[in-house]
Amino acid sequence: MNKRVSGERKAPEWKKLDAEELGISNSMISKPTGVVLNGLKRKGYEVYLVGGCVRDPILKRIPKDFDVITSAELKQVRKAFHRCEIVGKRFPICHVHVDDVIVEVSSFSTSQLKSDGNSMVMLMFDPYANIVYDYMGGMADIKKTKVRTIIPANLSFVEYSGRILRAIRIAARLQFGFTRDLALSLKELSHSVFRLDKGRILLELNYMLAYGSAEASLRLMWRFGLLEIILPIQVSCFPS
């Protein structure tokens, strides 16, 4: 498993945690997600749930959506389901259509787990073994209620400026704070979000304004100089 996600960096140890003790169970998995998990598992691929759907139950929250990661290549995922397409350029994923629901499936070979700047997604749940894998201290960050980057924050944000908006979104939704180096890098590199295409910025904004975290997201964007860059008209609504 380490080789799949380590890229050129030294592979860390994975901690195995009992899912039941963390409050995670198969009963929380949506039916469409179960269809995708079982479909890939039957073909012999490794499958896990990853990210917020693993983190949220630990925080006593109800997962909003479910992301799947697999050992299958994206082309193999596409062949496994009748209604499936590959989307995205930098980090391509599959959209599997089950009834009226889209289940996002990523592959270890192309996943952001290789170099993602945010440790909060580094939890994976094996629903067949009932094990949660903790990668790079995700549980410790949850206990500290801090958003942290795996590599130095300034390097992480330069590597991919979309992580700036993602850090804001996660902190706002979870009501978490930032580590000191991450907060400093947010201020120093906020202008680099201009490197993102408009579609990506709009997508991140939609995520920020959803799930009851709109106000918190806007306040964090204002605090770190992002609001005047992305939503200059809304800046006038905030006190100086």
Side-chain angles (χ1 to χ4, degrees):
M1 184 181 296
N2 287 346
K3 291 183 179 179
R4 297 182 189 275
V5 298
S6 63
E8 296 180 355
R9 300 187 180 105
K10 183 179 179 180
E13 292 293 325
W14 288 78
K15 294 182 179 179
K16 296 182 180 180
L17 306 172
D18 184 274
E20 186 176 352
E21 292 181 0
L22 296 176
I24 301 173
S25 68
N26 286 349
S27 63
M28 74 177 191
I29 301 173
S30 69
K31 183 179 178 180
T33 304
V35 169
V36 174
L37 290 169
N38 291 332
L40 292 170
K41 187 70 172 179
R42 282 195 297 267
K43 290 185 176 296
Y45 301 118
E46 297 176 39
V47 284
Y48 305 89
L49 291 175
V50 66
C53 63
V54 184
R55 178 192 64 226
D56 286 349
I58 298 173
L59 293 169
K60 311 303 180 185
R61 296 169 178 261
I62 298 174
K64 300 296 183 182
D65 48 37
F66 298 86
D67 294 325
V68 176
I69 190 167
T70 179
S71 60
E73 298 291 335
L74 293 182
K75 290 182 179 180
Q76 294 172 318
V77 176
R78 187 172 60 186
K79 290 180 180 179
F81 301 97
H82 294 299
R83 299 173 60 204
C84 177
E85 68 269 0
I86 299 173
V87 300
K89 294 181 180 180
R90 183 179 177 87
F91 296 110
I93 61 173
C94 280
H95 279 177
V96 181
H97 298 259
V98 181
D99 298 327
D100 295 327
V101 176
I102 294 176
V103 179
E104 293 190 354
V105 181
S106 57
S107 170
F108 280 118
S109 64
T110 57
S111 173
Q112 293 187 60
L113 278 174
K114 284 183 173 182
S115 59
D116 200 299
N118 192 322
S119 68
M120 292 305 300
V121 298
M122 297 308 179
L123 292 171
M124 298 198 314
F125 170 46
D126 181 343
Y128 300 96
N130 289 315
I131 292 174
V132 171
Y133 294 92
D134 180 7
Y135 178 64
M136 291 297 289
M139 280 300 299
D141 293 338
I142 289 175
K143 291 178 181 178
K144 294 176 182 177
T145 65
K146 294 287 187 181
V147 177
R148 174 180 63 89
T149 52
I150 293 175
I151 61 176
N154 60 330
L155 297 179
S156 178
F157 294 159
V158 168
E159 185 177 73
Y160 180 51
S161 56
R163 292 176 184 148
I164 292 173
L165 298 179
R166 195 157 187 260
I168 293 287
R169 169 164 58 89
I170 291 174
R173 182 183 171 198
L174 300 180
Q175 299 181 2
F176 277 17
F178 298 114
T179 57
R180 186 173 182 274
D181 75 310
L182 195 153
L184 289 173
S185 295
L186 282 174
K187 282 186 174 291
E188 293 174 357
L189 298 172
S190 59
H191 63 280
S192 67
V193 296
F194 280 130
R195 298 176 187 169
L196 299 171
D197 60 60
K198 292 182 179 180
R200 170 52 60 180
I201 292 176
L202 287 174
L203 182 62
E204 289 293 342
L205 284 177
N206 286 335
Y207 285 146
M208 285 184 189
L209 299 178
Y211 307 129
S213 59
E215 181 179 353
S217 296
L218 291 172
R219 290 190 178 280
L220 282 176
M221 289 175 67
W222 171 71
R223 175 184 169 191
F224 289 100
L226 286 159
L227 198 61
E228 62 189 47
I229 295 173
I230 299 176
L231 298 171
I233 296 177
Q234 282 73 11
V235 171
S236 61
C237 299
F238 286 79
S240 57

